[in-house]
Amino acid sequence: EDEQIVAEIMGRRFFPDIITHKTWEGFHFAGHEIRITEATDCYGAVVWPSALVLCYYLETNSKQCNLVDKNVIEIGAGTGLVSIVASLLGAFVTATDLPELLGNLQHNVLHNTKQKCKHQPCVKELSWGIDLEKNFPRSSCHFDYIMAADVVYHHPFLDELLLTFDHLCKDDTVILWAMKFRLEKENKFVDRFQMLFDLEMISNFPSLNIALYKAMRKGRMEA
């Protein structure tokens, strides 16, 4: 079953027939052909398999996870694929990442959503743990969903990442988080995450070493 679904997920990707001066990959999600411009000089500018896993879930579970008119923020949006798919499924999306990635992120989001979405998504800078209250004040920012794909890897900002999840998450916010398991240090982040949030694995793909989680604040999952 794992291999069959993984084949379906990876089958959503296609490549240009003709090599062009810009590197891009194509994807079929939410009834649209999505073209993602990539860069090979940094982690945040390529599409990782975790993003495809999350996009596939959003598309194939639209009844359990109805995004129409929902307020969604993606942290570590990278190339913007997850944000684009959420937008095409009817959400109002804020795609966030580091300042140096915003140009390519904005290009991809605009190119793939203009005149195709109910709500035009926005792109905003978010450096984990920095100026959170200033840029995303608790009193006025309410997100129905926080989405994250492959934000936990070998980087020195895991504390700041957890702080960011904590700041953005209200009592009724749902976190959808796709994670590729790599090293023990990163895996320990899951234990720390569970000190603040109830965590449920909703999909697992051993052949990719990727798990998809749903999380809410402690005590809210049952409620």
Side-chain angles (χ1 to χ4, degrees), residues 157-173:
F157 305 108
L158 294 176
D159 290 343
E160 290 81 358
L161 174 60
L162 187 59
L163 186 67
T164 301
F165 273 123
D166 184 42
H167 179 85
L168 296 173
C169 190
K170 294 286 199 296
D171 281 350
D172 57 349
T173 302

Side-chain angles (χ1 to χ4, degrees), residues 13-137:
R13 169 187 267 153
F14 68 93
F15 299 94
D17 294 326
I18 301 171
I19 302 299
T20 61
H21 69 287
K22 278 194 173 183
T23 303
W24 63 269
E25 286 186 74
F27 303 89
H28 292 289
F29 284 109
H32 290 269
E33 180 181 290
I34 301 167
R35 294 192 178 192
I36 297 292
T37 300
E38 299 184 328
T40 56
D41 56 350
C42 56
Y43 281 141
V46 296
V47 177
W48 299 100
S50 293
L52 274 67
V53 166
L54 182 47
C55 289
Y56 182 81
Y57 174 82
L58 296 178
E59 181 188 78
T60 57
N61 292 271
S62 57
K63 287 187 177 180
Q64 302 96 309
C65 181
N66 184 356
L67 295 183
V68 177
D69 298 331
K70 296 297 193 298
N71 200 10
V72 171
I73 185 169
E74 184 187 4
I75 61 174
T79 59
L81 180 62
V82 172
S83 288
I84 291 163
V85 172
S87 298
L88 293 171
L89 291 171
F92 180 81
V93 178
T94 302
T96 70
D97 215 314
L98 297 169
E100 59 266 29
L101 296 174
L102 295 187
N104 189 56
L105 176 58
Q106 178 73 62
H107 167 80
N108 284 329
V109 167
L110 186 63
H111 178 75
N112 288 287
T113 62
K114 191 174 183 181
Q115 297 181 330
K116 299 177 183 177
C117 296
K118 185 175 183 181
H119 308 288
Q120 187 59 39
C122 68
V123 172
K124 192 170 180 179
E125 176 185 342
L126 173 53
S127 299
W128 298 336
I130 298 175
D131 292 332
L132 294 175
E133 182 58 32
K134 176 184 175 184
N135 296 323
F136 299 89

